Amino acid sequence: MSMEQVTLLMQGGILQVLKLCAPVLGAALIIGLVVAIFQATTSIQEQTLTFLPKLLVMLIVLALLGGAMFTSMRSYTVGLFQMIGRM
């Protein structure tokens, strides 16, 4: 296995992780900002207030995009296993 192949495998793996994590983390970030702005405007400084909305939004995003995420991960994994067979 050449260094170029290793580099491409590592790059593909990192891109796959970013594609899978970005929607969930992006939704949590947006909800966190909205709740933080709400807390700042109403002077409610409760630390646990941000937890439940983030959790609910992350679960909703996973429920909506979970199938696509699984399909993407499965195709990447099948491609890796097929590559092992060719070596």
Side-chain angles (χ1 to χ4, degrees), residues 1 8 11 15 21 23 25-27 29 37-38 41 44-46 50-51 53 59 64-66 77 80 82-83:
M1 181 178 265
L8 287 175
Q11 183 181 15
L15 287 175
C21 292
L25 293 177
L29 175 70
I37 291 170
F38 174 74
T41 56
I44 298 174
Q45 297 303 322
E46 180 64 34
T50 61
F51 179 72
L59 289 175
L64 293 175
L65 299 178
T77 305
L80 285 178
Q82 288 174 351
M83 190 180 298

Side-chain angles (χ1 to χ4, degrees), residues 17-18 20-32 54 58 61 69:
V17 168
L18 290 176
L20 293 176
C21 292
V24 177
L25 293 177
L29 175 70
I30 291 169
I31 292 299
K54 280 184 191 179
M58 289 170 66
V61 169
M69 290 177 173

